[in-house]
């Protein structure tokens, strides 16, 4: 399995990167997003939303498990942290195989429900404004996507 890296030195740069990535996404694509608090997960999703022509402001879904935004295609932003103690199926499959893009934070808590093909993204805080974005594509669509966006 290949691993790709992209380094950014400002929140704007992170957003520009995820906005670019959005252009390559197809309906039903799933991205898992990991990183410590303040790593830049929400910043990343804001850029993704811009790339999907979503005008509503995106914020952390802390008190909601699934937030839905309408754009060029729907964006489902999930924070499944509260699923830690539960193996309840909230209908994940319908989101993952639907017509939108799903971003899952804390994916380890619903790993039995995740699709086989996905793009695993991990953001690491490497300096005050420096972030290392790690992309691990699973499946040929995401492998091709990574090759396209990281040169
Ligand atoms: P998380 O959702 O992972 O907790 P946020 O996106 O809410 O993180 O916050 C990231 C914070 O780090 C923001 O205050 C943002 O301005 C700041 N930041 C600094 N440099 C970067 C960078 N290169 N990429 C993303 N965010 C950055
Ligand atoms: Mg956040």
């Amino acid at each position: 399995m290949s691993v790709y890296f992209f380094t950014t030195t400002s929140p704007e740069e992170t957003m520009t990167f995820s906005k670019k990535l959005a252009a390559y996404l197809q309906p039903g694509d799933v991205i898992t997003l990991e990183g410590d608090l303040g790593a830049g997960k929400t910043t990343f999703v804001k850029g993704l939303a811009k790339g999907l022509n979503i005008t509503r402001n995106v914020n952390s879904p802390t008190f909601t498990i699934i937030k839905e935004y309408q754009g060029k295609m729907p964006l489902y932003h999930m924070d499944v942290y509260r699923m830690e103690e539960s193996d309840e199926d909230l209908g994940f499959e319908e989101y993952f195989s639907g017509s939108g893009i799903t971003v899952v934070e804390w994916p380890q808590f619903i790993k039995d429900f995740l699709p086989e093909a996905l793009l695993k993204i991990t953001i690491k805080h490497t300096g005050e404004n420096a972030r290392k974005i790690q992309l691990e594509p699973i499946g040929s669509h995401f492998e091709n996507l990574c090759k396209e966006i990281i040169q």
Side-chain angles (χ1 to χ4, degrees), residues 63-115:
F63 298 104
T64 324
I65 292 181
I66 304 169
K67 276 198 179 175
E68 219 172 304
Y69 300 89
Q70 298 303 327
K72 185 170 92 179
M73 49 189 148
L75 171 67
Y76 309 116
H77 188 190
M78 298 185 181
D79 180 335
V80 296
Y81 184 73
R82 247 157 264 90
M83 300 298 295
E84 183 177 19
E85 308 275 287
S86 159
D87 54 11
E88 193 190 342
D89 184 353
L90 299 179
F92 295 113
E93 183 71 29
E94 280 182 47
Y95 289 97
F96 298 153
S97 60
S99 55
I101 306 299
T102 309
V103 175
V104 188
E105 296 193 29
W106 296 95
Q108 61 268 42
F109 295 141
I110 59 159
K111 56 178 185 305
D112 292 346
F113 300 113
L114 292 172

Side-chain angles (χ1 to χ4, degrees), residues 33 35-43 45 59-62 77 79 105:
L33 189 54
D36 295 337
L37 191 70
K41 300 182 296 297
T42 298
T43 304
V45 180
N59 47 33
S60 288
T62 319
H77 188 190
D79 180 335
E105 296 193 29

Side-chain angles (χ1 to χ4, degrees), residues 8-11 14 36-43 60 128-131:
T8 69
T9 54
S10 68
T14 295
D36 295 337
L37 191 70
K41 300 182 296 297
T42 298
T43 304
S60 288
E128 192 180 350
N129 295 312
R131 302 292 188 272

